[in-house]
Amino acid sequence: AAAALGVSSSALLLPTSVQAEEEATAAATSEEEADQLIDVYFGCGCFWHVQHELVEAEKRILGRKDSEITARTGYAGGSAGALNGKVCYHNGLQQSDYGKLGHAEVVYLKIPSSTFEDFAAEYFRLFDKDGFRPDQFGDRGSEYRNLVGIQGGAKSKFSQQLVKASIATGDKLDFAVGKGDDRDAAKLVFVMDIQQYPFYKGEQYHQFHDGFNLGENYPNSYNSLASQFAKAGEDFGTCPNGMLGVGLGGL
């Protein structure tokens, strides 16, 4: 039969071998993609408390040590991007003010793509049973809106995982496609494309800071991480010192 088809018997065996090789390659690729590190950010109100909770999640989910923590406070979600190469907290010099640029306070992470849903669940646990963020009735305004930055935005597979994690943690929130400079709306999370709306790292003094609520005076081992990373060479930009107490609840 093989001769009648004009091919050798060894050639007939080749597809099975090739198929097995392709399946193995596909499996390896899938595993590699699952382990690929991705950039994400989460925002819901003041970024101090959010950073602490995500640092704890990095330690618990990924087993990271203090020196391996990637959670950083900063700004994202504005259409204007940076001004003069930077985005800053409110400051007396009025330099590159994040609010005027349309940004919100967020916390950045670099995590394996396979763990995104786990971190999304941690984010949704920051909201109470009614879908309100911790400072919903304190800090107000677009600087404190709820948003999540992911690769591909609302059209990506991560968006589907985001909704799945939300449902698993009580289905308390609605979602909208982030278009930049979005409003502050209760119980609503804007999904941002992190390529179109990138993260801008915040100032050193905003990193690993105590929260504003009772019980959020974190240990010195946590607070000192900012100076440790700075001494190790991390760049926290050149923004001027900011003005605290701008938001109704503090920051």
Side-chain angles (χ1 to χ4, degrees), residues 153-173:
K155 296 181 179 180
S156 73
K157 66 176 182 180
F158 299 113
S159 179
Q160 298 173 5
Q161 294 176 15
L162 189 69
V163 174
K164 184 178 177 182
S166 177
I167 293 172
T169 52
D171 199 12
K172 301 169 288 188
L173 298 159

Side-chain angles (χ1 to χ4, degrees), residues 64-182:
R64 285 177 173 169
K65 302 175 183 177
D66 284 349
S67 61
E68 299 170 327
I69 293 299
T70 64
R72 298 291 188 274
T73 58
Y75 316 103
S79 298
L83 178 61
N84 297 324
K86 56 188 176 182
V87 176
C88 304
Y89 188 70
H90 309 301
N91 59 87
L93 298 179
Q94 302 292 309
Q95 288 187 8
S96 306
D97 185 297
Y98 81 103
K100 293 181 179 179
L101 293 172
H103 295 296
E105 296 186 10
V106 300
V107 175
Y108 161 91
L109 293 164
K110 183 178 284 291
I111 57 174
S113 59
S114 60
T115 65
F116 174 73
E117 194 171 322
D118 295 324
F119 279 91
E122 293 297 322
Y123 170 68
F124 292 124
R125 292 189 184 102
L126 296 173
F127 298 84
D128 69 15
K129 61 181 180 62
D130 297 313
F132 295 120
R133 62 176 184 257
D135 60 353
Q136 189 70 58
F137 304 104
D139 288 332
R140 302 178 188 178
S142 61
E143 294 99 323
Y144 308 105
R145 64 188 183 268
N146 309 320
L147 69 168
V148 175
I150 50 180
Q151 295 179 6
K155 296 181 179 180
S156 73
K157 66 176 182 180
F158 299 113
S159 179
Q160 298 173 5
Q161 294 176 15
L162 189 69
V163 174
K164 184 178 177 182
S166 177
I167 293 172
T169 52
D171 199 12
K172 301 169 288 188
L173 298 159
D174 291 323
F175 299 88
V177 177
K179 298 180 180 179
D181 311 330
D182 301 295

Side-chain angles (χ1 to χ4, degrees), residues 3-250:
L5 292 173
V7 296
S8 67
S9 58
S10 60
L12 290 177
L13 296 176
L14 184 59
T16 302
S17 175
V18 170
Q19 181 179 2
E21 184 177 345
E22 289 179 346
E23 290 176 351
T25 300
T29 300
S30 177
E31 183 176 348
E32 182 178 343
E33 289 178 349
D35 290 336
Q36 181 181 9
L37 292 175
I38 59 171
D39 300 318
V40 300
Y41 58 73
F42 298 96
C44 64
C46 176
F47 46 21
W48 289 345
H49 172 69
V50 177
Q51 182 181 32
H52 179 266
E53 298 308 298
L54 292 179
V55 166
E56 292 300 304
E58 283 194 84
K59 292 180 178 180
R60 184 173 62 258
I61 297 171
L62 301 176
R64 285 177 173 169
K65 302 175 183 177
D66 284 349
S67 61
E68 299 170 327
I69 293 299
T70 64
R72 298 291 188 274
T73 58
Y75 316 103
S79 298
L83 178 61
N84 297 324
K86 56 188 176 182
V87 176
C88 304
Y89 188 70
H90 309 301
N91 59 87
L93 298 179
Q94 302 292 309
Q95 288 187 8
S96 306
D97 185 297
Y98 81 103
K100 293 181 179 179
L101 293 172
H103 295 296
E105 296 186 10
V106 300
V107 175
Y108 161 91
L109 293 164
K110 183 178 284 291
I111 57 174
S113 59
S114 60
T115 65
F116 174 73
E117 194 171 322
D118 295 324
F119 279 91
E122 293 297 322
Y123 170 68
F124 292 124
R125 292 189 184 102
L126 296 173
F127 298 84
D128 69 15
K129 61 181 180 62
D130 297 313
F132 295 120
R133 62 176 184 257
D135 60 353
Q136 189 70 58
F137 304 104
D139 288 332
R140 302 178 188 178
S142 61
E143 294 99 323
Y144 308 105
R145 64 188 183 268
N146 309 320
L147 69 168
V148 175
I150 50 180
Q151 295 179 6
K155 296 181 179 180
S156 73
K157 66 176 182 180
F158 299 113
S159 179
Q160 298 173 5
Q161 294 176 15
L162 189 69
V163 174
K164 184 178 177 182
S166 177
I167 293 172
T169 52
D171 199 12
K172 301 169 288 188
L173 298 159
D174 291 323
F175 299 88
V177 177
K179 298 180 180 179
D181 311 330
D182 301 295
R183 70 190 190 284
D184 181 19
K187 305 181 183 182
L188 179 66
V189 176
F190 292 98
V191 181
M192 316 300 296
D193 186 331
I194 199 169
Q195 277 82 26
Q196 186 174 359
Y197 301 99
F199 169 79
Y200 299 92
K201 190 189 299 182
E203 298 84 347
Q204 182 179 333
Y205 68 88
H206 274 313
Q207 308 296 334
F208 310 102
H209 198 290
D210 288 339
F212 56 82
N213 285 329
L214 293 176
E216 292 181 359
N217 292 324
Y218 307 127
N220 183 63
S221 58
Y222 173 81
N223 300 142
S224 63
L225 289 176
S227 60
Q228 291 178 33
F229 283 116
K231 289 178 181 178
E234 184 168 344
D235 183 6
F236 289 102
T238 59
C239 287
N241 289 333
M243 300 185 297
L244 304 186
V246 175
L248 293 180

